Amino acid sequence: MLLDVYDLLPFDNPDGGAWKQGFDISYLDNQWDDQPLEVFVVPHSHNDPGWLKTFDSYYEDQTRHILDNMLIKLSEDSRRKMIWAEISYFSKWWSGIDEQKRGAVKRLLGAGQLELVTGGWVMADEANSHYFALLDQLMEGHQWMQRHLGVRPRSGWAIDPFGHSPSMTYLLKGAGLQDMVIQRVHYAVKKHFAQQQTLEFLWRQSWDSSPRSDITCHMMPFYSYDVPHTCGPNPSVCCQFDFHRLPGRRVNCPWKISPQPITEQNIKERALLLLDQYRQKSRLFSSPVLLVPLGDDFRFMESSEWDVQFNNYQKLFDYFDQHPELHVKARFGTLSDYFLSLHKRLSTAGTTLPTVRGDFFTYADRDDHYWSGYFTSRPFYKRLDRTLEATLRATEILFSLTLAEMRRFRDDGHLVANFPASDHFQRLTAGRRSLGLFQHHDAVTGTARDPVVVDYGNRLFRSILNLRQVLQSSAHWLLLLDKSQYNNDQSKPFMEMDDVMSAQDALPQKTTLTLSEEPRSLVVFNPTEQLRTSVVSVIVDSPDAKVIDAETGRPMTAQISAVWVEPSRASTEAFQLDFVAELPPLSLVVYHVTKASVGSSHRVHYTFSRHGNPPTVKSEHFQVSHLKGDEADTPLSLGNKHVQIWSSSETGLLQKLRLQSGLVRQVQVSFLWYGTSSARDKSGAYLFLPGPEGAQLYSSSEPPLVRVSRGPIFSDITSCFKHFTHKVRLYHLEGHAGRSLEISNTVDIRSEVNRELIMRLVSDVANGNRFYTDLNSFQMQQRRTLAKLPLQANFYPMSSAAFVQDSTSRLSLLSAQSQAVAALRPGELEVVLDRRLQQDDNRGLGQGVTDNKLTASLYQLLLEDRGGGAQEVGGASVEHLSLLAHLTSLSMCHPPITMVAPSDSQLPKLRPFRPLHSSLPCDVHLLNLRTLEDAQEAGSPSQEVALLLHRKGFDCSSAPPPSLQCTWSVHEEVNLDDLFSPLRFRSVRRSGLTLLREHDQPESARQQQLRPMEISAFRVEID
């Protein structure tokens, strides 16, 4: 377990000599006499799909030239090799080359001279990315490779993501990869693995007691993936073998000793100097096979660079061949060449690699430079990423159901003629690719230049708008009672969203609906696989409104609250209407909203307070009271049947929670600032280098305005501070929706200099130094806060969940966006909300982070009773979220989608769409229902759909007394026909996670095994 390694290491960073972060390596000259050293030099070019330039600029200026030259230069000599990772670039290049060149590419692939590694759309970030998006970009790349090249990737190559997650390795293994390479790991961890000769290991999932999830992983031992840090431990020597740095070329060696062209005069001395580095590096590994990458960012661009690298190296390799007494065989190779040879040597020697569990966060590349800043940088876009992800998933599912429904309706397997299925499929593809591109390790990370961030933002924004068209059009067809009335007019859509996104950097704004006696139709889509009780919220132009279920005429419970234009001034034109909707799984339900008689609607009652300066409240339609006298000093309290909360009347911030069971916990919310170090090195986009004073309590010159609302559907407390508005809301609902507290923040720190704003929860949970954070929303990982590490090292990535627990309680914070999280003292959890930093942190970006926006963040806080312990897997305590937490997170990340029909149209008859008879078991998540591309007709949907199911692992020690309204089975077997009844599957084939044909199993039974924690993929046709 990596956790045990952390406990073991002193993190003292002594000077290691030539290998600064390591140690001196010695060897005996005769060491390779029996087993010659076998060296694979692997040429590569690391192409960021956006960083200092946009994706398109990099492509035009650099990448296309690299790939053009690759074709020419590899064809010149069959001994030359190259690996390539980013399919986003490769596919763009492919679409611009002719058939002759395409044939040449296929020949190089077939001959093993060119290898596509990982095969993802990008080389994804592994800290902030959600597993849906990680898998989706892998699928997009693999499907593209299968269709255009007829190949699949066998090895993973992740040399630049800033830390590594086992969730990614799970997906790679599930997609059929056997081996992988990683690079950015904490220098002290690298040194430890090197000393133990365990840089090559079997990486296993923490929750897996079998070797099923194992993947062979090679950890590069040195500081960087560039040539000075890949041939051996001494960068000043290795730099002399980067022939792109020859005198007179564009790059030089910072160690002041330049490379020399290899000649007959110097070849012996040069070859022995290089061999010495190879031999030293080889001593760090358990086999005599050595991987030596040869490349750097955007390398091999000009023809001359190919010549100097390949020709000089070939001379060195020939020299080794001519001198068998050196016992070394060196040649150009791909990753597959290397791993094939490695596995052969290991099995001959009877060596088994050690097993490792855990993850490689938080990364430090030198000194106390921990890369925990990027867990939060550019939080606006980390939130937009999830909005696109949820929109894409919802659209994929509804589109797939629509096509299946159409084929059933037509009864001949064809689609309806006037439905633009191909146009919509192309919008879906573009949406997948935008989300995929944003998973790049300089995109979702928030570590690109400002104009590049805007380019990503526009891609995300445009994709959301395009996907909404597909969603509306699909819903339109499904809801029509008389399908012949369907018409596809994008200029006048049948339905519109209930909110408008005006620009890539603006928060969405709800549209105001004009009400009258004539009913307005609202259509609500539930994108989850669970029956759910949800609060649907729309803005209307009247303080009196009523909602009925269009099918039954049943009135829905509703409340009207104010739309606050300013903290204490309510709009007179717009009002918020909230109603409770019962939404069957994956259903479209129609509601009618009409204007109601004056005073007939439940209006929210408001209480205001501001210490020392009572506000003047403008609100003509609502009852408003002020806290006075003693009232102003007693805590504010809200409650429902599950939980009661107390908050400070001065700040409105939470202080205490009590569950129905009687469990009481102090949970105090506070806000603090971190500044940056006064030393030379300061925080930037990547690094978090806080000042020695630590976090300082947020204080403002005037006390906040506190606004309490009480209504039949929800009650909340809003605190309006200068830099943020903070809201805690309690829903008065049955079921799991009423059991957690919804916390939302709107943050604006544009006035600040070198400051980071955090929200901290301080509880009396006795968790010691242990806490848990999620990895990519796929699994939970135990963390230990260590006093021997600097503050910034104790921050970890959190994509969607973190918790602290003791023997009687668990406090979980669930989030709708990625950010940094820490638990610096027992009972505490803190998340970083935004960071504004005036300087570059010397990692190549060349700028600070000052493009802050008005940014929203959303959380659910869940307190649960606990009994019983964690399950033990291989000696490590493995924890999961409770079922309640899984369902709460699902509801928050996949909210119902509301569409409105225009007011002027004579509405045709609509009928609700309910594709499933019942919810899926509540531990089975429908990850996706993704229509695959037609094999014959490019850009068109096929009848085949990728059905992805994730069976969640869950913790049973906190099963709540009123049981959840869903079922789960103790059996690992499920029947897919029963699960999705009344949908029928014409065919079902289990496949790999990226649905490659060669991973398809023969026609499968409907009875399928779904193991806890595992994702299962099926290629299905829906009847």
Side-chain angles (χ1 to χ4, degrees):
M1 284 297 287
L2 278 157
L3 278 170
D4 303 333
V5 175
Y6 286 152
D7 281 346
L8 210 66
L9 296 180
F11 292 100
D12 52 354
N13 196 21
D15 189 328
W19 174 18
K20 210 171 154 32
Q21 296 170 323
F23 44 87
D24 283 330
I25 305 169
S26 57
Y27 60 84
L28 302 168
D29 280 348
N30 63 358
Q31 215 161 321
W32 288 274
D33 289 5
D34 300 334
Q35 280 204 309
L37 184 59
E38 198 179 353
V39 181
F40 290 92
V41 173
V42 179
H44 69 99
S45 180
H46 180 68
N47 284 243
D48 290 305
W51 181 39
L52 307 178
K53 301 180 189 177
T54 63
F55 174 80
D56 288 333
S57 298
Y58 269 140
Y59 178 76
E60 286 305 326
D61 298 350
Q62 282 147 291
T63 305
R64 69 190 178 97
H65 304 296
I66 298 169
L67 289 167
D68 285 344
N69 277 319
M70 176 271 295
L71 205 48
I72 297 162
K73 293 295 175 180
L74 290 185
S75 304
E76 286 175 5
D77 184 339
S78 62
R79 295 172 297 181
R80 295 179 174 181
K81 305 275 181 123
M82 172 90 173
I83 60 169
W84 187 271
E86 303 80 10
I87 302 299
S88 50
Y89 277 133
F90 201 87
S91 61
K92 187 177 173 71
W93 175 69
W94 178 266
S95 64
I97 59 174
D98 60 28
E99 282 308 317
Q100 191 185 353
K101 287 183 175 164
R102 290 179 178 185
V105 171
K106 288 180 176 171
R107 278 196 301 282
L108 290 171
L109 287 164
Q113 279 185 264
L114 172 65
E115 181 181 19
L116 295 177
V117 288
T118 307
W121 202 243
V122 296
M123 187 185 291
D125 171 48
E126 301 183 22
N128 304 288
S129 43
H130 187 285
Y131 76 106
F132 174 96
L134 281 177
L135 180 53
D136 209 64
Q137 65 87 32
L138 216 49
M139 211 181 302
E140 196 55 36
H142 289 192
Q143 291 281 323
W144 186 91
M145 284 171 65
Q146 175 178 266
R147 179 180 193 97
H148 296 279
L149 307 171
V151 297
R152 70 175 179 88
R154 294 173 192 270
S155 312
W157 176 251
I159 55 170
D160 204 24
F162 325 138
H164 292 282
S165 163
S167 310
M168 188 68 186
T169 63
Y170 176 81
L171 298 176
L172 293 176
K173 181 70 189 276
L177 279 73
Q178 298 300 324
D179 310 286
M180 58 180 295
V181 174
I182 60 174
Q183 152 58 21
R184 290 192 185 268
V185 171
H186 193 298
Y187 59 88
V189 175
K190 284 186 177 233
K191 179 177 169 179
H192 174 78
F193 276 58
Q195 283 165 330
Q196 310 284 319
Q197 283 194 329
T198 54
L199 288 160
E200 289 178 322
F201 53 87
L202 298 172
W203 196 346
R204 182 172 297 181
Q205 297 303 313
S206 303
W207 41 265
D208 201 347
S209 47
S210 77
R212 243 199 331 267
S213 62
D214 290 6
I215 186 165
T216 304
C217 183
H218 169 105
M219 183 195 297
M220 290 163 60
F222 308 124
Y223 171 76
S224 164
Y225 55 79
D226 62 9
V227 184
H229 296 94
T230 46
C231 92
N234 189 333
S236 72
V237 175
C238 290
C239 195
Q240 299 169 51
F241 293 90
D242 183 356
F243 296 101
H244 183 45
R245 302 181 194 237
L246 279 166
R249 296 187 66 82
R250 283 183 320 183
V251 208
N252 58 14
C253 281
W255 294 272
K256 305 285 189 285
I257 314 171
S258 295
Q260 307 165 25
I262 303 300
T263 62
E264 283 186 22
Q265 287 70 41
N266 69 7
I267 188 157
K268 180 179 182 184
E269 178 266 331
R270 295 277 96 189
L272 293 177
L273 184 63
L274 181 60
L275 178 58
D276 174 52
Q277 288 298 308
Y278 287 171
R279 285 174 164 181
Q280 287 190 51
K281 181 176 180 179
S282 168
R283 291 291 295 126
L284 307 178
F285 293 88
S286 58
S287 95
V289 190
L290 188 64
L291 172 66
V292 180
L294 177 70
D296 204 337
D297 292 8
F298 295 96
R299 279 302 187 85
F300 297 104
M301 194 171 103
E302 304 118 333
S303 171
S304 65
E305 184 185 344
W306 289 81
D307 294 340
V308 292
Q309 297 285 37
F310 281 94
N311 295 342
N312 281 300
Y313 268 100
Q314 195 58 57
K315 288 176 187 170
L316 291 162
F317 297 165
D318 292 346
Y319 180 87
F320 292 146
D321 280 347
Q322 290 149 14
H323 292 80
E325 73 280 5
L326 296 175
H327 300 287
V328 58
K329 167 81 181 148
R331 62 194 150 192
F332 295 116
T334 61
L335 281 193
S336 287
D337 294 335
Y338 170 74
F339 281 114
L340 192 67
S341 186
L342 172 71
H343 288 305
K344 214 185 279 174
R345 287 288 188 106
L346 290 173
S347 71
T348 309
T351 314
T352 46
L353 295 174
T355 305
V356 172
R357 289 192 171 96
D359 70 325
F360 294 99
F361 291 115
T362 291
Y363 170 60
D365 56 350
R366 52 184 151 95
D367 308 322
D368 61 352
H369 292 192
Y370 284 84
W371 295 45
S372 42
Y374 85 94
F375 300 157
T376 305
S377 297
R378 275 43 183 263
F380 180 90
Y381 295 100
K382 285 176 164 65
R383 182 97 180 87
L384 190 60
D385 167 64
R386 294 299 185 81
T387 307
L388 172 55
E389 179 174 292
T391 306
L392 177 61
R393 178 184 168 277
T395 309
E396 295 272 19
I397 292 170
L398 201 63
F399 181 72
S400 295
L401 292 172
T402 304
L403 298 194
E405 197 67 21
M406 274 183 186
R407 292 190 183 103
R408 189 179 319 148
F409 171 75
R410 285 275 310 244
D411 215 24
D412 61 359
H414 287 78
L415 299 179
V416 176
N418 61 345
F419 184 76
S422 288
D423 293 355
H424 283 342
F425 186 72
Q426 282 156 32
R427 289 185 179 102
L428 270 171
T429 302
R432 295 166 181 175
R433 292 178 174 183
S434 293
L435 182 67
L437 186 68
F438 198 65
Q439 303 316 302
H440 163 52
H441 59 262
D442 290 305
V444 68
T445 52
T447 55
R449 287 221 173 132
D450 290 352
V452 180
V453 172
V454 172
D455 180 62
Y456 288 136
N458 279 320
R459 289 167 185 269
L460 297 174
F461 170 61
R462 280 198 305 270
S463 293
I464 291 170
L465 299 185
N466 280 324
L467 289 168
R468 286 174 159 198
Q469 284 188 22
V470 181
L471 202 64
Q472 290 151 353
S473 175
S474 302
H476 179 184
W477 193 86
L478 287 170
L479 289 165
L480 282 172
L481 192 60
D482 175 2
K483 304 292 187 198
S484 67
Q485 293 181 309
Y486 177 81
N487 72 323
N488 168 52
D489 178 0
Q490 286 302 342
S491 63
K492 192 164 172 258
F494 173 71
M495 284 185 289
E496 286 169 348
M497 288 297 166
D498 72 327
D499 67 4
V500 171
M501 293 180 68
S502 59
Q504 56 93 15
D505 60 352
L507 292 174
Q509 296 294 324
K510 290 267 191 188
T511 325
T512 304
L513 306 186
T514 311
L515 298 186
S516 65
E517 276 66 50
E518 284 296 304
R520 284 288 302 260
S521 289
L522 286 186
V523 173
V524 182
F525 176 50
N526 171 10
T528 73
E529 62 278 355
Q530 299 297 329
L531 165 71
R532 65 199 257 185
T533 308
S534 291
V535 174
V536 174
S537 187
V538 289
I539 303 293
V540 294
D541 66 347
S542 158
D544 297 289
K546 66 170 196 262
V547 184
I548 60 166
D549 180 315
E551 188 182 27
T552 62
R554 191 166 64 90
M556 312 306 292
T557 311
Q559 76 177 34
I560 297 274
S561 43
V563 171
W564 296 97
V565 189
E566 290 164 17
S568 57
R569 180 168 73 85
S571 166
T572 52
E573 275 86 59
F575 305 88
Q576 184 172 321
L577 165 66
D578 289 273
F579 64 95
V580 179
E582 283 284 321
L583 304 170
L586 305 181
S587 64
L588 289 159
V589 183
V590 186
Y591 296 96
H592 286 160
V593 190
T594 46
K595 202 166 180 167
S597 55
V598 176
S600 64
S601 313
H602 274 291
R603 292 191 199 175
V604 168
H605 176 180
Y606 290 98
T607 310
F608 278 81
S609 107
R610 183 165 60 204
H611 268 241
N613 179 10
T616 313
V617 180
K618 299 194 173 101
S619 145
E620 53 191 80
H621 296 281
F622 297 89
Q623 209 182 336
V624 171
S625 57
H626 292 268
L627 291 184
K628 298 190 188 70
D630 291 349
E631 258 190 330
D633 299 323
T634 50
L636 301 166
S637 181
L638 299 176
N640 63 17
K641 60 194 298 192
H642 304 295
V643 59
Q644 186 169 8
I645 69 165
W646 288 268
S647 291
S648 152
S649 58
E650 193 169 338
T651 62
L653 300 179
L654 182 67
Q655 291 178 328
K656 192 165 73 166
L657 279 167
R658 183 178 69 202
L659 296 186
Q660 184 192 12
S661 65
L663 177 73
V664 177
R665 280 280 173 258
Q666 303 295 320
V667 182
Q668 292 165 337
V669 171
S670 57
F671 288 80
L672 301 97
W673 292 112
Y674 280 108
T676 190
S677 163
S678 51
R680 191 173 59 95
D681 295 307
K682 293 179 164 51
S683 298
Y686 303 90
L687 305 183
F688 178 34
L689 289 165
E693 70 285 349
Q696 302 295 299
L697 202 59
Y698 180 93
S699 62
S700 53
S701 46
E702 54 181 64
L705 176 109
V706 178
R707 184 174 71 229
V708 183
S709 82
R710 288 187 169 87
I713 293 180
F714 62 76
S715 303
D716 56 31
I717 302 173
T718 306
S719 308
C720 305
F721 290 87
K722 180 186 169 189
H723 295 92
F724 58 93
T725 300
H726 170 80
K727 180 179 281 163
V728 176
R729 177 174 289 179
L730 211 48
Y731 288 95
H732 306 293
L733 297 174
E734 303 292 323
H736 67 261
R739 305 175 67 105
S740 59
L741 258 64
E742 183 181 278
I743 296 178
S744 55
N745 298 311
T746 313
V747 172
D748 187 350
I749 60 167
R750 285 176 286 195
S751 58
E752 299 309 292
V753 172
N754 275 330
R755 285 183 118 180
E756 314 199 18
L757 183 66
I758 67 155
M759 177 173 76
R760 182 180 285 173
L761 308 175
V762 181
S763 76
D764 50 6
V765 175
N767 61 304
N769 73 335
R770 299 191 174 196
F771 68 112
Y772 295 81
T773 66
D774 72 310
L775 287 165
N776 318 93
S777 307
F778 178 66
Q779 58 188 326
M780 299 305 296
Q781 171 65 49
Q782 187 191 123
R783 307 289 183 196
R784 295 175 193 165
T785 300
L786 299 175
K788 63 185 171 186
L789 292 175
L791 177 98
Q792 62 268 27
N794 286 302
F795 278 77
Y796 290 94
M798 162 181 173
S799 328
S800 62
F803 63 76
V804 290
Q805 65 185 16
D806 55 25
S807 57
T808 59
S809 61
R810 174 186 286 186
L811 184 68
S812 307
L813 184 65
L814 308 170
S815 81
Q817 62 288 313
S818 298
Q819 64 266 296
V821 64
L824 300 178
R825 280 171 291 277
E828 291 186 6
L829 268 181
E830 62 186 64
V831 286
V832 184
L833 301 177
D834 199 359
R835 43 203 323 259
R836 184 174 178 84
L837 302 156
Q838 268 46 39
Q839 61 286 311
D840 182 44
D841 50 6
N842 301 308
R843 292 304 183 277
L845 183 60
Q847 62 157 77
V849 183
T850 54
D851 57 350
N852 307 72
K853 326 260 176 249
L854 183 64
T855 299
S857 54
L858 178 64
Y859 304 90
Q860 296 281 348
L861 184 65
L862 189 58
L863 177 63
E864 296 173 281
D865 285 291
R866 264 192 105 222
Q871 66 181 83
E872 293 280 328
V873 176
S877 110
V878 173
E879 291 283 355
H880 302 293
L881 291 176
S882 64
L883 268 181
L884 178 58
H886 279 306
L887 291 170
T888 304
S889 183
L890 179 74
S891 298
M892 171 173 57
C893 296
H894 299 283
I897 294 171
T898 308
M899 293 168 271
V900 293
S903 48
D904 53 355
S905 58
Q906 272 310 94
L907 268 194
K909 276 299 269 161
L910 301 182
R911 174 179 61 191
F913 174 66
R914 297 190 199 90
L916 303 184
H917 280 329
S918 60
S919 294
L920 262 55
C922 52
D923 58 338
V924 176
H925 173 48
L926 174 61
L927 186 59
N928 209 345
L929 197 61
R930 182 190 210 251
T931 294
L932 297 168
E933 189 178 21
D934 191 285
Q936 273 66 52
E937 204 179 327
S940 294
S942 71
Q943 301 203 9
E944 293 184 329
V945 177
L947 165 65
L948 294 164
L949 295 175
H950 179 201
R951 185 160 193 174
K952 308 260 185 176
F954 61 92
D955 172 87
C956 299
S957 63
S958 54
S963 61
L964 297 159
Q965 300 170 311
C966 64
T967 59
W968 67 91
S969 157
V970 291
H971 305 294
E972 291 188 353
E973 296 265 314
V974 296
N975 182 305
L976 292 182
D977 281 342
D978 295 350
L979 223 52
F980 288 95
S981 161
L983 290 179
R984 311 291 317 153
F985 297 116
R986 186 176 341 141
S987 74
V988 171
R989 317 179 85 142
R990 193 181 264 274
S991 191
L993 293 185
T994 54
L995 280 293
L996 294 175
R997 295 230 171 254
E998 62 184 270
H999 293 147
D1000 283 4
Q1001 293 176 10
E1003 174 68 27
S1004 316
R1006 299 299 188 258
Q1007 249 346 77
Q1008 285 290 340
Q1009 189 177 36
L1010 300 182
R1011 294 191 183 94
M1013 288 305 295
E1014 303 264 14
I1015 301 171
S1016 299
F1018 305 93
R1019 186 188 303 277
V1020 302
E1021 292 184 38
I1022 306 175
D1023 257 347

